[in-house]
């Protein structure tokens, strides 16, 4: 199952909404457009969110325009992360 990510801390505090997620394998895919680098406020939010996900043992795959254009590399990254999270196929 692929779903939109909503990672909650114990007690129900939401720490992240990812673009795609496989929560059972602790993998989140995030697309970062230019606004993530050009907007200081968004950049600060991203840093905190990625740190919170790492503390919760999530593997975050960050995707930009060039990686999206290279589908074989992107799929290999996703497959590797899913396998590391326990997916067997």
């Amino acid at each position: 199952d692929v779903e939109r990510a909503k990672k909650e801390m114990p007690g129900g505090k939401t720490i992240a909404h990812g673009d795609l997620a496989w929560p059972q394998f602790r993998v989140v895919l995030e697309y970062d457009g230019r606004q993530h680098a050009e907007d200081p406020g968004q950049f600060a939010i991203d840093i905190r969110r990625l740190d919170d996900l790492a503390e919760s043992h999530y593997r975050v795959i960050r995707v930009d325009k060039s990686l999206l254009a290279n589908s074989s590399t992107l799929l290999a990254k996703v497959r590797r992360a899913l396998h590391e999270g326990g997916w067997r196929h």
Side-chain angles (χ1 to χ4, degrees):
D1 280 341
V2 176
E3 57 186 64
R4 193 151 176 87
K6 181 180 178 184
K7 172 62 182 135
E8 294 185 358
M9 296 290 284
K13 177 187 171 204
T14 300
I15 61 168
H17 292 272
D19 295 318
L20 289 175
W22 297 264
Q24 67 273 36
F25 304 113
R26 301 187 90 65
V27 175
V28 174
L29 185 140
E30 284 279 297
Y31 181 81
D32 290 337
R34 288 181 65 133
Q35 78 279 6
H36 291 266
E38 295 174 351
D39 178 346
Q42 183 63 54
F43 187 70
I45 290 168
D46 290 346
I47 288 172
R48 286 190 300 276
R49 186 180 68 248
L50 292 172
D51 189 50
D52 287 343
L53 285 165
E55 285 180 7
S56 296
H57 307 286
Y58 268 73
R59 166 73 164 89
V60 178
I61 300 167
R62 296 179 68 189
V63 179
D64 65 2
K65 184 176 163 181
S66 65
L67 183 56
L68 192 59
N70 189 342
S71 61
S72 61
T73 298
L74 176 57
L75 290 173
K77 285 179 171 283
V78 170
R79 180 178 285 266
R80 186 170 42 255
L82 290 172
H83 275 284
E84 290 170 0
W87 179 65
R88 302 292 175 246
H89 189 303

